[in-house]
PDB file of all heavy atoms in Angstrom:
ATOM      1  N   ALA A  20      -2.698 -52.528 -10.962  1.00  0.00           N
ATOM      2  CA  ALA A  20      -3.972 -52.647 -10.232  1.00  0.00           C
ATOM      3  C   ALA A  20      -3.745 -53.428  -8.942  1.00  0.00           C
ATOM      4  O   ALA A  20      -4.253 -53.067  -7.888  1.00  0.00           O
ATOM      5  CB  ALA A  20      -5.007 -53.343 -11.106  1.00  0.00           C
ATOM      6  N   GLN A  21      -2.964 -54.502  -9.010  1.00  0.00           N
ATOM      7  CA  GLN A  21      -2.648 -55.290  -7.816  1.00  0.00           C
ATOM      8  C   GLN A  21      -1.817 -54.442  -6.832  1.00  0.00           C
ATOM      9  O   GLN A  21      -2.047 -54.481  -5.639  1.00  0.00           O
ATOM     10  CB  GLN A  21      -1.885 -56.572  -8.212  1.00  0.00           C
ATOM     11  CG  GLN A  21      -1.435 -57.416  -7.034  1.00  0.00           C
ATOM     12  CD  GLN A  21      -2.596 -57.881  -6.159  1.00  0.00           C
ATOM     13  OE1 GLN A  21      -3.675 -58.199  -6.634  1.00  0.00           O
ATOM     14  NE2 GLN A  21      -2.341 -57.925  -4.859  1.00  0.00           N
ATOM     15  N   VAL A  22      -0.864 -53.689  -7.373  1.00  0.00           N
ATOM     16  CA  VAL A  22      -0.039 -52.848  -6.526  1.00  0.00           C
ATOM     17  C   VAL A  22      -0.898 -51.779  -5.835  1.00  0.00           C
ATOM     18  O   VAL A  22      -0.699 -51.468  -4.653  1.00  0.00           O
ATOM     19  CB  VAL A  22       1.096 -52.201  -7.348  1.00  0.00           C
ATOM     20  CG1 VAL A  22       1.925 -51.251  -6.505  1.00  0.00           C
ATOM     21  CG2 VAL A  22       2.001 -53.271  -7.946  1.00  0.00           C
ATOM     22  N   MET A  23      -1.894 -51.240  -6.563  1.00  0.00           N
ATOM     23  CA  MET A  23      -2.795 -50.242  -5.963  1.00  0.00           C
ATOM     24  C   MET A  23      -3.582 -50.836  -4.798  1.00  0.00           C
ATOM     25  O   MET A  23      -3.866 -50.141  -3.821  1.00  0.00           O
ATOM     26  CB  MET A  23      -3.742 -49.646  -6.992  1.00  0.00           C
ATOM     27  CG  MET A  23      -3.118 -48.602  -7.870  1.00  0.00           C
ATOM     28  SD  MET A  23      -2.401 -47.194  -6.964  1.00  0.00           S
ATOM     29  CE  MET A  23      -3.866 -46.361  -6.411  1.00  0.00           C
ATOM     30  N   ARG A  24      -3.932 -52.116  -4.887  1.00  0.00           N
ATOM     31  CA  ARG A  24      -4.637 -52.754  -3.748  1.00  0.00           C
ATOM     32  C   ARG A  24      -3.732 -52.759  -2.522  1.00  0.00           C
ATOM     33  O   ARG A  24      -4.190 -52.570  -1.391  1.00  0.00           O
ATOM     34  CB  ARG A  24      -5.090 -54.159  -4.144  1.00  0.00           C
ATOM     35  CG  ARG A  24      -6.325 -54.154  -5.024  1.00  0.00           C
ATOM     36  CD  ARG A  24      -6.939 -55.555  -5.161  1.00  0.00           C
ATOM     37  NE  ARG A  24      -6.202 -56.421  -6.057  1.00  0.00           N
ATOM     38  CZ  ARG A  24      -6.319 -56.434  -7.378  1.00  0.00           C
ATOM     39  NH1 ARG A  24      -7.140 -55.597  -7.980  1.00  0.00           N
ATOM     40  NH2 ARG A  24      -5.619 -57.267  -8.105  1.00  0.00           N
ATOM     41  N   GLN A  25      -2.454 -52.988  -2.751  1.00  0.00           N
ATOM     42  CA  GLN A  25      -1.484 -52.972  -1.629  1.00  0.00           C
ATOM     43  C   GLN A  25      -1.338 -51.566  -1.083  1.00  0.00           C
ATOM     44  O   GLN A  25      -1.263 -51.347   0.123  1.00  0.00           O
ATOM     45  CB  GLN A  25      -0.138 -53.514  -2.082  1.00  0.00           C
ATOM     46  CG  GLN A  25      -0.168 -54.981  -2.443  1.00  0.00           C
ATOM     47  CD  GLN A  25       1.127 -55.438  -3.101  1.00  0.00           C
ATOM     48  OE1 GLN A  25       1.890 -54.614  -3.644  1.00  0.00           O
ATOM     49  NE2 GLN A  25       1.378 -56.742  -3.087  1.00  0.00           N
ATOM     50  N   VAL A  26      -1.321 -50.572  -1.982  1.00  0.00           N
ATOM     51  CA  VAL A  26      -1.237 -49.176  -1.557  1.00  0.00           C
ATOM     52  C   VAL A  26      -2.454 -48.830  -0.712  1.00  0.00           C
ATOM     53  O   VAL A  26      -2.349 -48.165   0.330  1.00  0.00           O
ATOM     54  CB  VAL A  26      -1.121 -48.217  -2.757  1.00  0.00           C
ATOM     55  CG1 VAL A  26      -1.227 -46.763  -2.331  1.00  0.00           C
ATOM     56  CG2 VAL A  26       0.185 -48.462  -3.514  1.00  0.00           C
ATOM     57  N   ALA A  27      -3.617 -49.319  -1.101  1.00  0.00           N
ATOM     58  CA  ALA A  27      -4.859 -49.050  -0.363  1.00  0.00           C
ATOM     59  C   ALA A  27      -4.781 -49.588   1.048  1.00  0.00           C
ATOM     60  O   ALA A  27      -5.427 -49.060   1.961  1.00  0.00           O
ATOM     61  CB  ALA A  27      -6.057 -49.659  -1.109  1.00  0.00           C
ATOM     62  N   ARG A  28      -3.954 -50.617   1.263  1.00  0.00           N
ATOM     63  CA  ARG A  28      -3.787 -51.197   2.603  1.00  0.00           C
ATOM     64  C   ARG A  28      -2.657 -50.476   3.366  1.00  0.00           C
ATOM     65  O   ARG A  28      -2.315 -50.879   4.457  1.00  0.00           O
ATOM     66  CB  ARG A  28      -3.521 -52.683   2.503  1.00  0.00           C
ATOM     67  CG  ARG A  28      -4.718 -53.495   2.046  1.00  0.00           C
ATOM     68  CD  ARG A  28      -4.483 -55.014   2.184  1.00  0.00           C
ATOM     69  NE  ARG A  28      -3.388 -55.492   1.352  1.00  0.00           N
ATOM     70  CZ  ARG A  28      -3.541 -56.003   0.122  1.00  0.00           C
ATOM     71  NH1 ARG A  28      -4.725 -56.098  -0.423  1.00  0.00           N
ATOM     72  NH2 ARG A  28      -2.504 -56.423  -0.545  1.00  0.00           N
ATOM     73  N   GLY A  29      -2.084 -49.412   2.746  1.00  0.00           N
ATOM     74  CA  GLY A  29      -1.046 -48.633   3.445  1.00  0.00           C
ATOM     75  C   GLY A  29       0.370 -49.101   3.195  1.00  0.00           C
ATOM     76  O   GLY A  29       1.276 -48.700   3.913  1.00  0.00           O
ATOM     77  N   ASP A  30       0.595 -49.914   2.171  1.00  0.00           N
ATOM     78  CA  ASP A  30       1.919 -50.438   1.860  1.00  0.00           C
ATOM     79  C   ASP A  30       2.756 -49.345   1.188  1.00  0.00           C
ATOM     80  O   ASP A  30       2.533 -48.981   0.025  1.00  0.00           O
ATOM     81  CB  ASP A  30       1.772 -51.655   0.954  1.00  0.00           C
ATOM     82  CG  ASP A  30       3.120 -52.367   0.670  1.00  0.00           C
ATOM     83  OD1 ASP A  30       4.152 -51.683   0.697  1.00  0.00           O
ATOM     84  OD2 ASP A  30       3.072 -53.579   0.435  1.00  0.00           O
ATOM     85  N   LYS A  31       3.745 -48.857   1.915  1.00  0.00           N
ATOM     86  CA  LYS A  31       4.583 -47.750   1.400  1.00  0.00           C
ATOM     87  C   LYS A  31       5.503 -48.198   0.270  1.00  0.00           C
ATOM     88  O   LYS A  31       5.774 -47.443  -0.658  1.00  0.00           O
ATOM     89  CB  LYS A  31       5.388 -47.139   2.537  1.00  0.00           C
ATOM     90  CG  LYS A  31       4.520 -46.422   3.546  1.00  0.00           C
ATOM     91  CD  LYS A  31       5.317 -45.870   4.692  1.00  0.00           C
ATOM     92  CE  LYS A  31       4.400 -45.196   5.686  1.00  0.00           C
ATOM     93  NZ  LYS A  31       5.138 -44.747   6.877  1.00  0.00           N
ATOM     94  N   ASP A  32       5.977 -49.418   0.341  1.00  0.00           N
ATOM     95  CA  ASP A  32       6.827 -49.946  -0.729  1.00  0.00           C
ATOM     96  C   ASP A  32       6.025 -50.058  -2.038  1.00  0.00           C
ATOM     97  O   ASP A  32       6.525 -49.764  -3.124  1.00  0.00           O
ATOM     98  CB  ASP A  32       7.424 -51.296  -0.348  1.00  0.00           C
ATOM     99  CG  ASP A  32       8.478 -51.174   0.747  1.00  0.00           C
ATOM    100  OD1 ASP A  32       9.095 -50.089   0.829  1.00  0.00           O
ATOM    101  OD2 ASP A  32       8.639 -52.124   1.517  1.00  0.00           O
TER     102      ASP A  32
END
Side-chain angles (χ1 to χ4, degrees):
Q21 177 59 36
V22 177
M23 280 304 287
R24 283 192 284 278
Q25 294 170 339
V26 172
R28 290 190 297 266
D30 185 331
K31 293 178 182 175
D32 290 332

